[in-house]
Amino acid sequence: VAGWQDDARSTAIAADDRDPLAAVRDRFRLPDGLVYLDGNSLGALQPAIAQRVATTMTDEWGEGLIRSWNDAGWVELPGRIAARIAPLIGAATDEVAVTDSTSTNLFKVLAAGAALRPDRRVILTDDTNFPTDIYVARGLAGLTDRHEVRVVPPEDLHDHLDDEVAMLMLTEVDYRSGRRHDAPALTAAAHGVGALAVWDLAHSVGVLDVDLTAWGADLAVGCSYKFLSGGPGAPAFAFAARRHHAALVNPLAGWFGHEQPFAFDLDYRPAPGATRLLNGTAPVLSMTALEAALEAFDGLEPAAVTAKAHALTTRFIDLVDTHLDGRIEVVTPREPARRGSQVSLRHEQAYAVTRALTDRGVIGDHRPPDIVRFGFAPLYVRHLDVVEAVIRLADLLDTGAWDQPRFHERQTVT
Ligand SMILES: *Cc1c(COP(=O)(O)O)cnc(C)c1O
């Protein structure tokens, strides 16, 4: 029987034929028949990365051994990757350090920000922020015994911006709802009371047209295993605006953030710019994978990536509104500029629905209490994938096939 499904499929195929990013998809390998809508949690693999890492292991590590720090350019890896990430976030290379995890980098930039605003005691954030950000801020506050982490609803942020606030610390795209903050306006509001603006770009980088320089952002962090597809646990990054470099302090000072690590000087002299945010030895295998992954962004216009993100999420929302109305609810903002490349649906039994969908070859994920979450990585998700996901979800909800005991059993990672 011909139905909305066939119409939706042919419209999507036509959109895929016109997609200016279609060729980039060929760099990625996804299992046959799988609809992968979780690139916001773990980006997909490009086979070229596996090749590159294999060569690094056999030739550079196996044969070159310690010589490879110089001969294979391992020592320059963080700087080379910073140069690739900088244009994706509207930064200069010397404002970016590629290192550690997002959580660790957040600790470092918050401590640096606290030192830049020594007379102020409040770190202001909102209650939609990602838990690790709040844990890290509270951990820092516990150490200084001087700071208070104030967590308020997002709509109340402006009311709490006053001359006690040292830093406004926010995540641009809400991991749960997909809502995108108005980063330029919030940065300006923070500056209006003399506070710094600290942004977490975990769900923005590689998919939204982020411009830290245009926003006037002070400090930022971001993740490279999500939309940058750098591989599980790939090194993260930290950003510090150039105007803060002279006074920028890394609380985890280490030899790779030293001006001359191999001078073995007992006195710490920070490296220029954001490089001082480095700490210890770089994880060369993970860095190699990340560097190779970023080649997918070569020559791509950030605006084209964002445009496809909007097109994919709009298609998904429209199909859900039209065909699943009343059975599941879209909680992500409908205005494209107000959301990331993510759509979240609310369902009472969201966990079981997510597991049942995975069983049908559509991978999204679950966030408590009641969210089924889908991320749309524009570099490899097709319009047809969007349609297949909605078709399979519609069938599950129509038949009730999601409601089986095996789909209710909790796994560790959701
Ligand atoms: C994914 C994510 C992180 C991840 O932090 P890690 O230290 O890499 O585990 C941090 N912040 C936000 C907002 C995230 O979405």
Side-chain angles (χ1 to χ4, degrees):
V1 245
W4 64 269
Q5 293 90 339
D6 291 334
D7 290 343
R9 281 194 183 107
S10 25
T11 320
I13 290 167
D16 286 325
D17 288 342
R18 291 190 306 269
D19 176 11
L21 304 185
V24 187
R25 187 174 205 272
D26 297 337
R27 301 180 70 106
F28 290 85
R29 186 178 58 214
L30 289 158
D32 280 345
L34 187 75
V35 175
Y36 190 64
L37 302 180
D38 214 1
N40 53 327
S41 269
L42 178 65
L45 173 71
Q46 302 167 55
I49 301 176
Q51 280 302 318
R52 194 78 59 86
V53 174
T55 305
T56 299
M57 290 180 81
T58 54
D59 298 6
E60 298 176 11
W61 179 13
E63 300 289 328
L65 290 160
I66 192 76
R67 294 169 290 194
S68 288
W69 281 102
N70 291 310
D71 296 351
W74 289 353
V75 72
E76 285 117 29
L77 267 168
R80 288 205 306 268
I81 301 172
R84 287 186 169 276
I85 291 178
L88 301 177
I89 57 174
T93 301
D94 69 325
E95 294 177 307
V96 180
V98 177
T99 179
D100 298 329
S101 68
T102 307
S103 304
T104 306
N105 286 332
L106 185 62
F107 180 86
K108 291 185 286 187
V109 302
L110 288 179
L116 291 167
R117 288 291 179 274
D119 303 330
R120 294 176 173 227
R121 42 180 295 277
V122 173
I123 300 173
L124 179 63
T125 190
D126 73 55
D127 62 12
T128 67
N129 206 343
F130 193 73
T132 203
D133 295 48
I134 292 174
Y135 305 157
V136 166
R138 287 190 180 139
L140 175 69
L143 281 177
T144 67
D145 220 19
R146 203 165 62 73
H147 288 93
E148 175 205 351
V149 181
R150 195 174 291 167
V151 185
V152 305
E155 56 276 17
D156 294 350
L157 284 169
H158 285 279
D159 295 342
H160 287 268
L161 274 172
D162 57 34
D163 62 11
E164 282 195 325
V165 177
M167 286 172 275
L168 175 62
M169 171 192 81
L170 295 172
T171 296
E172 190 194 11
V173 176
D174 176 3
Y175 76 102
R176 202 187 271 125
S177 71
R179 180 228 55 229
R180 183 182 191 183
H181 271 308
D182 185 344
L186 284 159
T187 301
H191 291 171
V193 297
L196 301 175
V198 183
W199 287 100
D200 184 332
L201 304 171
H203 290 280
S204 314
V205 63
V207 68
L208 299 182
D209 41 357
V210 172
D211 194 338
L212 292 173
T213 302
W215 302 353
D218 298 284
L219 300 161
V221 295
C223 179
S224 60
Y225 52 78
K226 293 173 180 168
F227 287 114
L228 293 183
S229 302
F237 63 88
F239 160 90
R242 203 176 275 157
R243 63 184 175 280
H244 297 306
H245 286 181
L248 192 72
V249 175
N250 180 354
L252 301 177
W255 68 314
F256 273 92
H258 192 279
E259 193 178 29
Q260 279 186 297
F262 289 87
F264 296 99
D265 189 347
L266 287 186
D267 292 320
Y268 179 75
R269 277 179 289 115
T275 302
R276 76 189 55 181
L277 295 172
L278 301 183
N279 171 247
T281 306
V284 169
L285 299 178
S286 300
M287 290 255 176
T288 300
L290 174 57
E291 184 179 41
L294 291 171
E295 287 176 12
F297 289 89
D298 278 353
L300 289 189
E301 282 294 327
V305 178
T306 306
K308 185 170 174 198
H310 287 167
L312 292 169
T313 50
T314 299
R315 182 178 302 277
F316 188 81
I317 290 172
D318 288 349
L319 286 168
V320 171
D321 278 346
T322 310
H323 303 293
L324 299 179
D325 192 33
R327 279 167 292 168
I328 204 159
E329 179 198 354
V330 176
V331 300
T332 302
R334 284 180 164 72
E335 189 191 336
R338 297 264 55 83
R339 64 174 183 256
S341 198
Q342 173 193 327
V343 179
S344 298
L345 305 180
R346 179 176 288 136
H347 190 279
E348 232 181 21
Q349 295 293 333
Y351 182 73
V353 171
T354 307
R355 291 283 308 280
L357 257 182
T358 301
D359 190 62
R360 298 266 176 111
V362 179
I363 299 191
D365 59 21
H366 163 67
R367 289 295 173 263
D370 53 8
I371 297 296
V372 189
R373 188 175 76 151
F374 301 95
F376 300 85
L379 271 52
Y380 51 85
V381 172
R382 295 170 303 192
H383 290 274
L384 187 59
D385 296 320
V386 169
V387 170
E388 287 302 331
V390 178
I391 290 173
R392 293 183 212 177
L393 178 60
D395 185 66
L396 276 177
L397 294 176
D398 283 346
T399 59
W402 58 269
D403 196 6
Q404 298 174 37
R406 63 191 173 120
F407 297 138
H408 289 274
E409 278 164 28
R410 295 274 164 161
Q411 294 183 315
T412 308
V413 175
T414 59

